[in-house]
Amino acid sequence: MDVPEPERRLAAVVAADMVGYSRLMEVDETGTLARLRTHRIELIDPAIAKNRGRIIKTTGDGMLVEFHSVADAVLCAAEIQRRMARRNMDVSPARWIQFRIGINLGDVIVEEDDIFGDGVNVAARLEMLAEPGGICVSGAVRDQVGDRLDDIVFEDLGDQIVKNIARPIRVFRVRLEPNAATAHEGADSAAVATTITKKPSIAVLPLANMSGDPEQEFFADGLTEDIITELSRFRELLVISRNSTFVHKGKAVKVQEVAREFGVDYVLEGSVRKANDRVRVTVQLIDAETDRHVWAERYDRDLADIFAIQDEITGAIVATLPGRVEAATHDRAKRKPTDNMAAYECVLAAKVLHHRSTREDNAEAQRLLDRALALDPNYAHAHAWKACVLGQMWVYDWCADRDAIFQQVAAELETTLALDDNDSDVHRILAALNLNRDDHDKAAYHQERALALNPNYDLVVVQQGELLTWLGRPEEGIDWIKKAMRLNPYHPERFWSHLGRACYCAEKYAEAVEAFSRITRPDHTHHAFLAATFAQMGNAVATAAHAAEVLKREPKFSVAVHLATQHYKREVDRKRHEAGLLMAGLPA
């Protein structure tokens, strides 16, 4: 009986390996695995699929991938390395996840779903020659690709002797150049670009120690550093570094001179005073253009645990300040002619309109976001908020083709991730998108990433409470929603809706009624919840009144259709909601 010859074919083989895997696992095994899984789900696997690659095998810290096209293999590797570099920008170097990648074009032996042979071995050796975050390719890959790929340059490293390969291998290092077309375009319109991409900027001056106690100096400096660090999480703020602002420590300064020195719009200054067992921190935000106070606050605390106080005050300042900066910047924008509004100001105005949750305001928000993207097509945050505004249109059914709008939301988010996957808004919206698909695991994943990127962002915090409610943990959800309300005392009314639903699921019906009653313009879904809640409480009169309002506003309402829009993971939570609606006499 003849033994069939093994199948052979020419393939582009990519070998990738994570740098320092063992060290990171030893320090933080759970966190390292979670972050590696994050990168796989959000970046690596989609990049491979987009470039028509096939994952052959994975190990704990690496993978082997086959491509039919050498160009696709190089483009995929370049995309992964570029985007990983951007992701690491918001992480301390000790926690960086980096990959080495080697690419070879060679003969492989195919056996079921695996590949072997010289083509694979060379790719693995090339990967070992690559620098962290780098790519090395064989001479065969360089010869095939030539100069056909924009933004990619090959640097000749000469012939290299590698382990277990008898012949020398010609090796090239891939240099990932900036996009030439974009750079040229930016050079032609530098003045416009400066206006378009300008974020509101802030310098935090060292807080003055007014207590007369030199030992409190560390508290003032630590509080200042914490505020700078936490503000830096807000990607729509440009925050001057600690090393820059601390040159003014202990000096009498004029705010407008500081603003000119650093080129910022706003300055935060303040003082710390300790007296007996109390500590007082005073801060004020100043608009450098007008030299007027935008916001001021005073915090008085017992000096029981000075570090806990530091954390509490930092959180309070950081939770409030970005909103005040946004409001002040929005006031500035309104004072300018519309034609001179920058892309950021368009996005800011769109956010304000979005939170009003009306069809007309939603349409205007879309117009402003489209204008922002016309000014700056690569403005990731504008793409994220366009997805958010389109999502609102989808939720409220303000569109003729809901499927098309849903696909548009997904497309905007995909664009945003490619431009900047460290934006908390991107992951917040992706969590909401996946929740609407009833993909609770993916929703939780993106929500966790959003919360890690910006734990003081009220929209992320309230969504954490909303998600926990859907997951069947409403008691925890209530705590998160109330925290969001504390972070933003001027929160959108929909926060009350989230709180009402969480209280209903926790069977805290009186609190649910109170929350829903705070909504000034309730729609038929709010009345449906109130009808169900009063039915659970046994209040027949209130139940009948709200049930009548539901059918008056939505004559085609049915319990089955309504429940299809609810995203409970546990059947017991869905059944509780269904029972309340049916007890209220609403049509099944």
Side-chain angles (χ1 to χ4, degrees):
M1 180 176 177
D2 293 335
V3 178
E5 288 290 320
E7 180 190 345
R8 295 178 179 271
R9 63 171 176 246
L10 190 67
V13 182
V14 171
D17 186 68
M18 180 176 153
V19 180
Y21 178 75
S22 299
R23 176 185 61 80
L24 287 166
M25 288 290 285
E26 184 179 356
V27 173
D28 180 13
E29 181 178 279
T30 303
T32 298
L33 288 173
R35 286 183 291 126
L36 185 56
R37 180 169 174 265
T38 297
H39 299 317
R40 281 286 310 272
I41 292 172
E42 293 179 2
L43 168 56
I44 297 169
D45 289 10
I48 291 169
K50 183 174 76 174
N51 289 285
R52 296 174 289 280
R54 180 172 74 95
I55 297 175
I56 301 298
K57 65 178 75 170
T58 61
T59 59
D61 58 346
M63 63 171 51
L64 187 69
V65 188
E66 179 190 19
F67 292 83
H68 293 299
S69 160
V70 181
D72 285 345
V74 174
L75 287 170
C76 179
E79 179 180 350
I80 289 170
Q81 296 294 46
R82 281 183 172 129
R83 290 177 61 187
M84 279 304 305
R86 288 205 298 270
R87 286 178 169 226
N88 283 329
M89 287 173 64
D90 286 350
V91 180
S92 65
R95 298 177 68 241
W96 280 0
I97 287 182
Q98 294 178 296
F99 296 96
R100 294 186 179 96
I101 297 179
I103 309 175
N104 182 40
L105 175 64
D107 196 43
V108 299
I109 300 169
V110 182
E111 187 174 292
E112 295 182 350
D113 291 329
D114 209 346
I115 58 174
F116 304 92
D118 187 68
V120 176
N121 296 338
V122 171
R125 299 297 174 256
L126 289 166
E127 172 263 303
M128 294 172 69
L129 293 174
E131 298 173 344
I135 306 166
C136 280
V137 306
S138 63
V141 171
R142 168 67 182 87
D143 292 343
Q144 282 290 318
V145 172
D147 298 320
R148 291 185 291 125
L149 302 182
D150 294 335
D151 318 324
I152 289 176
V153 174
F154 295 96
E155 180 183 340
D156 192 348
L157 300 182
D159 290 339
Q160 302 286 329
I161 302 299
V162 296
K163 184 179 177 181
N164 295 335
I165 305 286
R167 68 189 187 283
I169 304 296
R170 190 59 172 269
V171 179
F172 290 80
R173 177 191 292 130
V174 175
R175 288 215 318 267
L176 303 175
E177 297 293 313
N179 186 294
T182 304
H184 177 71
E185 187 179 290
D188 290 342
S189 57
V192 174
T194 301
T195 304
I196 288 171
T197 58
K198 188 177 185 302
K199 301 176 181 180
S201 48
I202 185 170
V204 180
L205 291 175
L207 298 177
N209 175 20
M210 307 293 288
S211 64
D213 180 359
E215 291 186 5
Q216 294 309 310
E217 204 71 37
F218 77 91
F219 177 75
D221 289 353
L223 183 55
T224 307
E225 289 188 41
D226 280 355
I227 292 168
I228 292 171
T229 300
E230 291 302 309
L231 284 176
S232 298
R233 290 177 179 264
F234 289 84
R235 301 181 70 77
E236 286 305 294
L237 281 179
L238 191 157
V239 184
I240 302 301
S241 73
R242 175 228 188 263
N243 290 340
S244 297
T245 58
F246 264 69
V247 300
H248 293 291
K249 181 174 169 59
K251 299 177 183 177
V253 295
K254 293 183 178 179
V255 166
Q256 288 184 307
E257 290 178 3
V258 170
R260 277 196 297 271
E261 177 185 345
F262 295 123
V264 296
D265 305 314
Y266 303 96
V267 174
L268 184 76
E269 63 174 6
S271 62
V272 177
R273 185 185 300 274
K274 175 179 173 287
N276 299 321
D277 59 349
R278 300 282 295 177
V279 63
R280 172 179 293 175
V281 177
T282 304
V283 288
Q284 47 266 340
L285 178 68
I286 300 165
D287 184 332
E289 183 181 53
T290 61
D291 196 25
R292 68 180 181 87
H293 284 70
V294 174
W295 167 79
E297 192 61 79
R298 187 177 71 190
Y299 303 91
D300 283 304
R301 298 291 187 273
D302 289 322
L303 199 62
D305 183 343
I306 198 164
F307 296 111
I309 294 168
Q310 188 168 309
D311 290 343
E312 180 187 348
I313 294 174
T314 298
I317 294 169
V318 171
T320 309
L321 193 58
R324 298 310 308 153
V325 171
E326 279 205 351
T329 307
H330 185 53
D331 289 341
R332 281 184 170 195
K334 288 193 293 188
R335 295 197 298 266
K336 298 176 183 178
T338 304
D339 289 345
N340 293 331
M341 285 178 70
Y344 172 79
E345 291 161 346
C346 289
V347 174
L348 188 60
K351 290 182 185 182
V352 173
L353 291 164
H354 163 79
H355 291 313
R356 292 177 183 169
S357 299
T358 71
R359 188 169 192 153
E360 296 74 21
D361 289 326
N362 179 282
E364 179 62 13
Q366 286 185 62
R367 188 189 69 77
L368 285 167
L369 290 165
D370 287 339
R371 183 149 186 272
L373 291 170
L375 288 167
D376 187 353
N378 293 322
Y379 190 178
H381 202 65
H383 282 288
W385 273 90
K386 184 172 181 183
C388 195
V389 169
L390 288 169
Q392 186 180 67
M393 179 194 290
W394 182 86
V395 167
Y396 288 106
D397 201 15
W398 295 332
C399 50
D401 188 340
R402 296 188 82 229
D403 289 341
I405 292 296
F406 198 85
Q407 292 305 315
Q408 198 176 345
V409 171
E412 287 292 341
L413 290 172
E414 186 176 332
T415 299
T416 313
L417 268 181
L419 291 168
D420 181 1
D421 45 22
N422 281 325
D423 187 325
S424 57
D425 268 317
V426 177
H427 292 283
R428 173 181 67 83
I429 300 163
L430 276 167
L433 179 77
N434 283 290
L435 189 61
N436 277 291
R437 292 170 169 161
D438 288 321
D439 190 338
H440 295 90
D441 291 342
K442 209 167 219 182
Y445 175 83
H446 285 291
Q447 177 61 27
E448 181 182 338
R449 184 90 194 279
L451 201 58
L453 285 166
N454 198 339
N456 292 301
Y457 185 8
D458 62 311
L459 296 184
V460 171
V461 172
V462 78
Q463 187 164 279
Q464 177 75 359
E466 184 187 10
L467 178 62
L468 287 168
T469 301
W470 292 124
L471 294 177
R473 295 155 61 188
E475 295 279 1
E476 294 174 66
I478 290 168
D479 291 340
W480 280 94
I481 295 165
K482 288 182 176 178
K483 179 182 178 182
M485 290 174 164
R486 288 194 301 273
L487 288 174
N488 181 4
Y490 306 102
H491 58 78
E493 276 200 347
R494 63 182 176 83
F495 282 29
W496 291 114
S497 181
H498 299 324
L499 182 60
R501 183 188 294 110
C503 290
Y504 182 89
C505 290
E507 300 184 58
K508 296 182 175 182
Y509 298 123
E511 292 179 33
V513 167
E514 182 185 356
F516 282 116
S517 298
R518 297 288 196 102
I519 298 169
T520 55
R521 291 182 297 176
D523 61 22
H524 74 278
T525 64
H526 299 131
H527 283 290
F529 252 114
L530 281 164
T533 307
F534 279 118
Q536 297 279 15
M537 296 171 70
N539 186 330
V541 175
T543 299
H546 286 289
E549 280 294 327
V550 172
L551 297 175
K552 176 182 174 183
R553 293 161 187 262
E554 185 57 48
K556 296 180 180 178
F557 180 91
S558 76
V559 171
V561 171
H562 177 68
L563 285 174
T565 67
Q566 307 298 297
H567 306 292
Y568 298 111
K569 185 174 185 179
R570 300 192 314 168
E571 189 61 25
V572 63
D573 295 320
R574 188 180 302 278
K575 289 293 185 186
R576 182 189 301 106
H577 195 170
E578 181 183 42
L581 294 168
L582 293 174
M583 285 165 62
L586 290 165

